[in-house]
Amino acid sequence: MIEIENLSLSFGDRRALDDVSFHVPKGAVTGFIGENGAGKTSTFRVLTTWLLPDPETVSVRVGGIDLFKDLMPLVLGWEFFPNSWHCRVSFESMNI
């Protein structure tokens, strides 16, 4: 299940997503269509935590977990790249 409530995303002073809300029930087959520049890719980048939403966003929940209130404390220090996760750590304290 995916639930997005009042999602907003800005790049500087340019608003890419403005107060987007929708719900996709578990097991639903759903299309996500729109014109070029409508915000489809930006929405999916927020859903994959590739981009952080604006602070006024109420919630972005996947499977009942709020990605930015419940999950982010667990994944700080991790970076997502397509097909893999990488840990971003400081190597200053490592001895070789």
Side-chain angles (χ1 to χ4, degrees):
M1 154 175 54
I2 298 172
E3 299 171 289
I4 292 181
E5 188 177 347
N6 305 106
L7 171 61
S8 294
L9 176 70
S10 298
F11 298 101
D13 61 350
R14 186 176 201 86
R15 184 76 104 175
L17 301 171
D18 189 18
D19 203 28
V20 174
S21 297
F22 64 88
H23 172 83
V24 179
K26 183 178 179 179
V29 176
T30 304
F32 201 60
I33 59 174
E35 296 180 13
N36 290 344
K40 301 176 300 293
T41 300
S42 295
T43 301
F44 278 102
R45 287 183 176 162
V46 170
L47 280 170
T48 60
T49 68
W50 187 263
L51 292 175
L52 297 175
D54 290 349
E56 65 267 19
T57 296
V58 173
S59 69
V60 178
R61 300 178 70 81
V62 177
I65 298 171
D66 190 303
L67 297 180
F68 301 98
K69 293 179 183 147
D70 301 334
L71 186 61
M72 284 310 276
L74 301 176
V75 297
L76 288 176
W78 290 83
E79 293 179 357
F80 174 77
F81 294 95
N83 302 318
S84 65
W85 285 90
H86 296 272
C87 184
R88 179 182 51 210
V89 296
S90 171
F91 292 101
E92 296 170 2
S93 62
M94 294 182 72
N95 294 319
I96 298 176

